[in-house]
Amino acid sequence: CIQIPKKLHPSFDVIIAGIIRNDKLSRIFLDIRTKQIMTERLSYYLNLNQIDKHIIYISRLSHINYLKLLTLSDVFLTTYPFGAGITSSDAISVCVPIVILPQRIEILQLTYAQIIDLDPQLVDVMVASNESDYINKAIKLATGGVVINSIYYDKQSIRKRICDKKRSYFHSSRYNDVVDEWAMFMKRIVI
């Protein structure tokens, strides 16, 4: 979603600021086209030194370079109110955990459905109940680990779990049905 500046809605600023305030090692990638407006908006929550240290502005990337950047990421932050779909599939494809706050997404709940289909046990780890929970989940996934069914998983184990599950997720008939349905929808609105 960093590739689409309009998805950085002001209501998501509190998440970015919360992560920066609570994780001194955090680095958040944003589109260079948003630098001026995001600096202005985030300065409400943070000082300029924090913004400069934690926000890395990048130019729009080719899809392959975007996937490479995702591979290097510790966690994919699903923005709201717009959400994600294709980009959350991209994150799953390179085994990166996702954080989502479904109550704040006002359009299709694609990422939420993707997490459920990928591994229902990951819902407790990736699906937040409020903004504070979102920030905490993002930081735990990026810096340490999580507990699933009384078993501790470090961040590498979570990635491995996603990798192990993604094979069946991307090759399921349900996934293919969704892709086909999107293709038909896109054809209808373009024609």
Side-chain angles (χ1 to χ4, degrees):
C1 292
I2 63 166
Q3 301 263 77
I4 304 171
K6 73 176 180 181
K7 286 194 172 188
L8 283 173
H9 192 271
S11 64
F12 194 72
D13 295 352
V14 69
I15 297 295
I16 295 171
I19 290 170
I20 290 171
R21 265 194 247 105
N22 292 290
D23 180 1
K24 303 305 178 210
L25 298 176
S26 65
R27 299 296 181 269
I28 298 175
F29 292 94
L30 298 177
D31 189 297
I32 189 72
R33 296 170 289 179
T34 67
K35 185 172 185 174
Q36 182 179 353
I37 190 72
M38 288 306 294
T39 300
E40 289 172 17
R41 288 182 2 207
L42 290 173
S43 66
Y44 178 77
Y45 303 98
L46 306 164
N47 65 50
L48 287 177
N49 193 29
Q50 289 173 304
I51 295 169
D52 290 342
K53 180 180 176 185
H54 294 275
I55 303 290
I56 299 170
Y57 292 97
I58 60 172
S59 297
R60 184 168 178 83
L61 301 170
S62 67
H63 187 68
I64 192 71
N65 286 333
Y66 178 70
L67 290 175
K68 287 177 184 177
L69 177 63
L70 270 178
T71 301
L72 299 173
S73 302
D74 291 315
V75 65
F76 176 81
L77 306 175
T78 304
T79 59
Y80 55 77
F82 300 105
I86 302 294
T87 48
S88 55
S89 285
D90 289 341
I92 292 168
S93 76
V94 295
C95 309
V96 173
I98 301 165
V99 180
I100 182 173
L101 181 54
Q103 299 90 316
R104 296 294 303 270
I105 295 175
E106 296 179 5
I107 57 173
L108 299 172
Q109 297 284 341
L110 296 174
T111 303
Y112 186 55
Q114 289 167 336
I115 294 169
I116 292 169
D117 279 354
L118 178 68
D119 183 349
Q121 292 183 342
L122 290 176
V123 169
D124 290 339
V125 175
M126 296 184 191
V127 178
S129 57
N130 56 49
E131 291 169 340
S132 177
D133 190 36
Y134 186 109
I135 293 164
N136 290 332
K137 286 181 187 311
I139 292 170
K140 282 183 182 179
L141 285 166
T143 63
V146 295
V147 176
I148 302 173
N149 290 335
S150 303
I151 299 171
Y152 176 80
Y153 291 86
D154 63 17
K155 66 183 189 177
Q156 292 307 95
S157 299
I158 286 292
R159 287 182 85 119
K160 183 180 181 324
R161 186 177 180 113
I162 294 169
C163 278
D164 291 345
K165 301 283 184 170
K166 78 173 185 179
R167 288 175 186 89
S168 61
Y169 168 76
F170 282 115
H171 297 292
S172 72
S173 62
R174 185 172 175 174
Y175 179 81
N176 290 327
D177 291 345
V178 170
V179 170
D180 291 344
E181 189 173 322
W182 267 105
M184 287 187 303
F185 170 73
M186 296 306 274
K187 285 179 184 176
R188 281 195 309 266
I189 65 169
V190 170
I191 295 178

